[in-house]
Structure formats: structure tokens, C-alpha cells
Amino acid sequence: GVGMGMTAPVSITAFPAEDGSFQQKVKVSLRIPSQFQDNPPCPTDESIKIEERQGMTIYSTQFGGYAKEADYVNYAAKLKAALGSDAVYRKDFYLCNGYDPPMKPYGRRNEVWFVKE
């Protein structure tokens, strides 16, 4: 019953298939605003979970426009190629992040994150 507003980024955890496309399983994460972090309101929907995300080191790439699944897959492949075989990061998932409301037509920011192991 508490309105917290929209936060950024909206983060989608993608679990890539062998061909690099998304599997049907994804997880959407929203940041809880600072004033609610010490005592977040309890969700009334059982499918919504509150979890604490620990600090992490990431490899990231950024791109603009209205991001679609194909864009995230494409930029994940570019990031993987840029990192080469020496970088050690989680291969079982990556994070797709959008920072802008749908009504913002220009100067949009999206990122792909690989989490360093």
C-alpha cells in the first residue's frame, strides 16, 4: 500500500541459452528508494521478493535507443568479444539495465553488465 515511485535502473537478469538468446526465465529487479531501504514495505504479492544485492564488480557496455531483447543480446555479444578469453565473469547470467521512462524519446541509456567472479 506504499507508493515508492519508479527507480532506475530497471534491471533484468537474463539467463542466456546456448545460442546467446534469452531463455524464457528472466528476473526483473527494481531498486528500493533510499528512504525505504532500512525498513522496506512488505510485498502483498507472493511472487515479489525483496533481496539484498551485495556489492559487485562489473564489466559494462552502454548503448542508446529503445532497447529490445535483440539489442541486449547483441551488446552482450559485443562485450564478450571485447573482453576476450582472459576476463573472468559469470557466464550463467548477465544484467540488462534501462535507465529511462518510456516517454523519453531521446538520449536514452541502456547497459549490459557482466558480473566479475
Side-chain angles (χ1 to χ4, degrees):
V2 176
M4 293 189 290
M6 197 62 193
T7 60
V10 173
S11 186
I12 298 171
T13 304
F15 301 91
E18 289 294 320
D19 64 359
S21 66
F22 287 8
Q23 292 185 36
Q24 291 298 327
K25 179 176 92 170
V26 295
K27 180 167 86 173
V28 178
S29 301
L30 305 171
R31 185 182 174 280
I32 294 177
S34 298
Q35 67 266 32
F36 296 103
Q37 286 189 8
D38 286 340
N39 188 22
C42 294
T44 56
D45 182 329
E46 291 180 9
S47 68
I48 297 173
K49 308 287 185 230
I50 294 178
E51 62 183 39
E52 187 170 339
R53 186 179 281 179
Q54 299 300 316
M56 63 182 113
T57 302
I58 61 166
Y59 297 105
S60 177
T61 189
Q62 182 178 331
F63 62 97
Y66 284 95
K68 298 178 283 310
E69 178 182 334
D71 299 314
Y72 286 117
V73 170
N74 179 37
Y75 279 91
K78 288 180 180 184
L79 181 56
K80 180 179 179 178
L83 292 172
S85 59
D86 291 338
V88 179
Y89 56 91
R90 298 283 306 261
K91 308 281 193 296
D92 55 330
F93 73 91
Y94 59 91
L95 300 164
C96 307
N97 301 284
Y99 287 84
D100 303 295
M103 298 73 61
K104 183 178 179 183
Y106 304 106
R108 297 183 64 80
R109 177 179 166 192
N110 309 289
E111 295 176 349
V112 172
W113 295 354
F114 290 172
V115 179
K116 186 175 179 182
E117 286 190 9

